[in-house]
Structures are given as structure tokens and as C-alpha cells.
Amino acid sequence: MSATPERAHWKSRFGFILAAAGSAVGLGNIWKFPYITGENGGGWFVLIYLACILLVGLPIMMAEIFIGRTAQKSPVGAFRDLSTPKSPWMLVGWLGVAAGFVILSYYSVVAGWAMHYTYLSATDAFAGKSPEQISSIFGELYTNTSLNLFWHGMFMLVTIGVVIGGVQQGVERCSKILMPALFLMMLILFGRAMTTDGFGQAFDFIFRGHAEKLTAAGVLEALGHAFFTLSLGMGAMITYGSYLQKDDDVVSTSVTISVLDTLIALLACMVLFPITFSHGMEPAAGPGLVFKNIPVALSQMPGTTFWATIFFALIVFAALTSAISLLEVAVSYFIDEKGWSRSKSTVVCGLAIALLGIPSAMSGGTGIFGEQFAKATEVIFGEGNGKNWFDLFDYLASNWMLPLGGLGIAMFVAWRVGPEARERGFKAGSKFGSLYWGWVALLRFLVPIGVVAVFLNAIGVMPRILQVIGLG
Ligand code: PFF
């Protein structure tokens, strides 16, 4: 089936780790994690999130990289090769390709906001403005359809440009430059945050939070976020793993990626909260946390233009290395399964996703994909809870597609893959072979229970169960 006579591979394992860490580290780390940490009261939530990464995220990451590296195929072909032709397990692969289309279509809109803010910062647009004026810039952008469409298009063009370059020239080279740059920028901003008055308060909030604020729903939210932040459940890691050599170590690679991702998420908190607290602002401000609070905070410090430009460029970088992996899942499917060339596959998929993103870019206003859409979806979500197109896509991907895909991947490796191939694959090139049974046990029991809990939460059943057993 394969159209490429020889499969592309990473130049080095280091290149793979940076590319995979680049996929994991994104808007989920810098924007969402600090925000949900804020909402759930810090400390305890962070601890539970770390446990979810270790006990659920890490085993699934190993399962995905194992599948990709063993099959040397993108998700759909990988499920077929490791089971039977026409196997229903291939559905998990197709779900992943679909999730890549859905997530990138709206992810690109948020990345576009970050691009616009980088431009605003670099052109000194926040100078001399009051906090109210600066805050209102986000609302103006959110409702401005043409500006959203422009930046969404720009971001998709850049993503297409990188993916067209292929595994070594595009994805690996780009990640090798951007990931260390991101780390460096984070450290610089962290150093800056350490000098603010709010640092002690922020440290206390993140690491010594209040148990009473943590709810059962918060625990489930931590678990769900572990999926999104590690890029699990849609085959991104299967695809990246398929460019590994057969004897590259699955275990230590997965551990390194997860540690890097967690480190960046914690660093993001340590940058964001000191700034937020030292200006007496709200830690749980949703999309506004990054786009409103940060420019307001930085505008009151020396060197606004410089620090704000760095901060938003950093978010664009993080989003780009994630977007690359989202597009690569779809692109590799058409290369492997349909025999398309890389350029054709990238341009067709990239343009299709850009088109699919148009309604998301138009979701901020009162129009057909915005308020009108939200009004219409009240039929499903109840009065006052309607979702615009953008929100609906985010909801479908995060609450349905990724948990379902993750469950499928865990079950496939735990119950369907031949035990010998599984054991050989886990132990190949690894010093951690003795962890094998622990991994299988987590995939067989803990992971399905955890994922089903998230899933039931998404369809609203879990809160009722928790109420019945007295925990809700
Ligand atoms: N992990 C990315 C983030 O935290 O922003 C988002 C993401 C990328 C999710 C790739 C899924 C994926 F396959």
C-alpha cells in the first residue's frame, strides 16, 4: 500500500524528542493549564494532574509510540497491520485523522490571536493605554471577523509551509530551533516573574493550594487535560513514533516528553500567576487570562514592548509545533494510504482545514456561526448554555474524540496486540524492561477506568453518579 518506498525517519532520537515535545507543549500548557489551575484552587489540583500524567498519560504515550514504531505506519495503517485487514480497530485511526482536522481548524484561530498580539506588542500598541483600553483590545479582536480570518489564514500558511518540508527538513529542523528557544524564553520570563511582588503568593497558590476547592469534577478535568496536553488520543504520537527506528527506546523517550511538557506547564504558571497576583488581577479569567491580563500587567512594567513581544511570540511558537503534529496526522494518512505525494497531501489537507476553520474564525460575532449558532445549540445544551461553532468544535474534540481515541489505543495494546510483539516492542533498546508488567496492568485496568470516568463526565452522567454516591 505504501507509496513511499523507504519510510522517512528522524535524523536523531533527540530530534524526535524535540518534535514530540513540541507537539505536546502548546496552547494547552501556556494558556489552559494555568487557567484551570486557577479555577481549581492550585496545589491539590496540580498534584492530581501530575498523578494523571504519570498513571494514565504516560502509559498511553508509550502505547502510541509503541504502535507507531512497530508498524512504521500512520494510525489507520498501523491498526490494520497490527490486527487484520478491514479490522474494526482501524476506526480508532480514522477517528484520529478526523480529530486532527477538527482540532487544528480552531486551534489555528487561537494561534492567530497570539500572532495578532505579537504584532500589537512589537508595534508598541499597548503603550500609554489604560488597563481598560488594553483589556478591550481582546473583545475587539474576538468579534472582528476579517482580522480573525486573516490571522487564521496566516497561521495555516506557516503550518503548511513547515509540514511540506517533510520529517527531517520541516518538522525536525523547525522543532530543533523552536523548542530550545521556547525553553529559553520561558526561563527569561520566569527570571522576570521572580522579581515581582506577587511571586511568593503565586508560589504558595500553585504548590500549597487549598484542598477544599478541589471537587470531583476538578479531578476529572485534570485527567482530561492530561490527554490534550500530551497530544494523546488521536494518533499524533503514533504518527511521530512511526518515524522512529525500530530499536529506539519507547520508555525513556515517553518519560522525557512527559517531563518536558509538565515542566513547561508549571513554568507557565510560575510566569503567569506572579504577574497576575502582583497586579491584583483575577487568576481564573479564561481566554482573557493570557490575552488581557498579560498585556495589562506588562504595560505597567519597564520594557513593555520587549517582554510582551517575547511572551506572545513564545505562544505562537508553542502553537506552531503542536499544529505541525495535528496536520502531520492527516498528511501521513494520505501519503501512506492513498499514495499521495507529501506536497499534494499537505496542500490539500492544509487548505481543507483552513476552510473548515472559517466558521471558527467567525464565531466571535453575532452572526450565523457566533451568537445565532449558540442560540440554536441551546436545544442540545440547555438554555443559556449554547455553544458557538468554535466552542462546539472544542467540546467535541476534547470531550469526545480524544478520550474515545485514547480508550481505543489503550484497549488495542492491552488486549489485541500479540503479547510477544508487545513485550519485545516495550523492551527493545530499553533499560526499563522490568516495568513491562506495570505498563500492561495500567493499560488494562487503570487507564480504561480513568478514561471511562472522563467520558461519562463529558456526557454529564458522571456528576449524577458522584451525587448518588455522595461525592458530588
Ligand atoms: N498538546 C497540544 C497542547 O497542549 O496545546 C494540543 C494538541 C496537539 C492536542 C496535538 C492533540 C494533538 F494531537
Side-chain angles (χ1 to χ4, degrees):
M1 262 271 191
S2 175
T4 38
E6 208 179 297
R7 188 164 188 78
H9 284 101
W10 304 105
K11 231 178 186 159
S12 65
R13 203 173 72 96
F14 181 62
F16 164 73
I17 288 179
L18 287 185
S23 165
V25 176
L27 297 168
N29 302 60
I30 300 175
W31 163 71
K32 192 172 174 195
F33 181 63
Y35 153 59
I36 57 177
T37 298
E39 273 198 342
N40 288 285
W44 274 95
F45 176 79
V46 175
L47 200 70
I48 286 171
Y49 164 80
L50 293 177
C52 291
I53 294 275
L54 189 71
L55 298 173
V56 177
L58 193 55
I60 295 189
M61 167 94 67
M62 290 177 190
E64 285 208 22
I65 298 179
F66 158 77
I67 293 174
R69 195 203 53 181
T70 307
Q72 298 277 303
K73 288 261 169 66
S74 52
V76 176
F79 281 103
R80 183 187 49 232
D81 281 15
L82 298 183
S83 54
T84 47
K86 302 227 165 78
S87 155
W89 286 105
M90 287 162 72
L91 272 174
V92 182
W94 278 314
L95 183 71
V97 175
F101 271 80
V102 171
I103 297 179
L104 185 52
S105 76
Y106 70 83
Y107 202 82
S108 159
V109 174
V110 182
W113 297 342
M115 278 175 117
H116 183 62
Y117 268 72
T118 311
Y119 162 78
L120 288 179
S121 308
T123 53
D124 222 6
F126 305 125
K129 292 219 164 77
S130 70
E132 290 73 33
Q133 284 171 322
I134 295 176
S135 295
S136 68
I137 293 177
F138 182 70
E140 284 157 24
L141 168 64
Y142 186 67
T143 49
N144 186 330
T145 300
S146 37
L147 211 52
N148 270 290
L149 285 173
F150 171 74
W151 287 114
H152 162 64
M154 289 298 283
F155 185 78
M156 281 310 301
L157 273 182
V158 177
T159 308
I160 290 171
V162 175
V163 174
I164 230 169
V167 172
Q168 283 190 12
Q169 286 307 311
V171 182
E172 187 168 359
R173 203 170 55 172
C174 184
S175 304
K176 264 187 183 158
I177 302 165
L178 293 186
M179 283 306 291
L182 179 75
F183 248 122
L184 197 69
M185 282 191 195
M186 274 302 215
L187 288 176
I188 293 173
L189 283 167
F190 177 58
R192 173 102 191 97
M194 272 169 74
T195 65
T196 61
D197 312 335
F199 189 75
Q201 196 187 346
F203 194 86
D204 199 65
F205 178 78
I206 300 165
F207 295 108
R208 282 206 285 135
H210 317 278
E212 72 277 4
K213 276 211 178 164
L214 188 74
T215 59
V219 175
L220 296 173
E221 191 167 11
L223 183 61
H225 187 63
F227 268 96
F228 189 82
T229 194
L230 289 177
S231 305
L232 300 176
M234 55 156 281
M237 291 299 164
I238 296 181
T239 310
Y240 273 21
S242 75
Y243 305 128
L244 275 173
Q245 304 289 350
K246 285 220 168 194
D247 56 354
D248 281 327
D249 171 17
V250 168
V251 185
S252 62
T253 329
S254 305
V255 171
T256 313
I257 298 162
S258 308
V259 167
L260 283 175
D261 185 78
T262 309
L263 222 61
I264 294 270
L266 292 175
L267 262 179
C269 282
M270 297 302 290
V271 168
L272 237 80
F273 287 126
I275 293 175
T276 306
F277 282 126
S278 54
H279 289 84
M281 289 189 290
E282 181 52 45
L289 184 66
V290 163
F291 295 106
K292 291 180 187 167
N293 290 23
I294 292 293
V296 169
L298 294 181
S299 72
Q300 294 165 15
M301 292 178 183
T304 307
T305 308
F306 181 71
W307 293 114
T309 309
I310 286 194
F311 190 83
F312 287 108
L314 178 154
I315 297 183
V316 176
F317 284 175
L320 180 62
T321 50
S322 299
I324 291 169
S325 70
L326 287 162
L327 181 55
E328 184 66 25
V329 172
V331 167
S332 66
Y333 167 77
F334 287 101
I335 295 176
D336 287 354
E337 298 297 313
K338 304 286 171 210
W340 290 7
S341 70
R342 173 164 281 272
S343 345
K344 175 178 168 189
S345 186
T346 311
V347 171
V348 171
C349 293
L351 287 182
I353 293 170
L355 286 177
L356 187 67
I358 290 177
S360 284
M362 295 170 69
S363 291
T366 50
I368 179 158
F369 298 115
E371 270 171 32
Q372 284 182 33
F373 200 88
K375 195 90 204 118
T377 55
E378 281 184 353
V379 181
I380 309 166
F381 299 105
E383 203 147 318
N385 292 323
K387 297 180 194 303
N388 63 28
W389 179 284
F390 177 101
D391 295 336
L392 184 73
F393 261 37
D394 188 21
Y395 168 80
L396 283 178
S398 311
N399 291 348
W400 291 77
M401 297 173 110
L402 296 186
L404 258 180
L407 182 64
I409 288 161
M411 301 307 267
F412 182 71
V413 172
W415 303 103
R416 178 64 181 85
V417 168
E420 278 138 50
R422 185 177 58 213
E423 185 160 356
R424 223 181 315 117
F426 184 87
K427 293 184 172 170
S430 177
K431 294 191 283 302
F432 304 98
S434 54
L435 297 176
Y436 174 69
W437 280 110
W439 175 58
V440 174
L442 286 174
L443 286 182
R444 281 202 174 150
F445 307 111
L446 196 90
V447 169
I449 292 171
V451 172
V452 167
V454 170
F455 186 56
L456 292 179
N457 188 51
I459 56 175
V461 174
M462 200 61 190
R464 251 166 272 155
I465 295 179
L466 291 171
Q467 252 169 19
V468 170
I469 60 172
L471 284 174

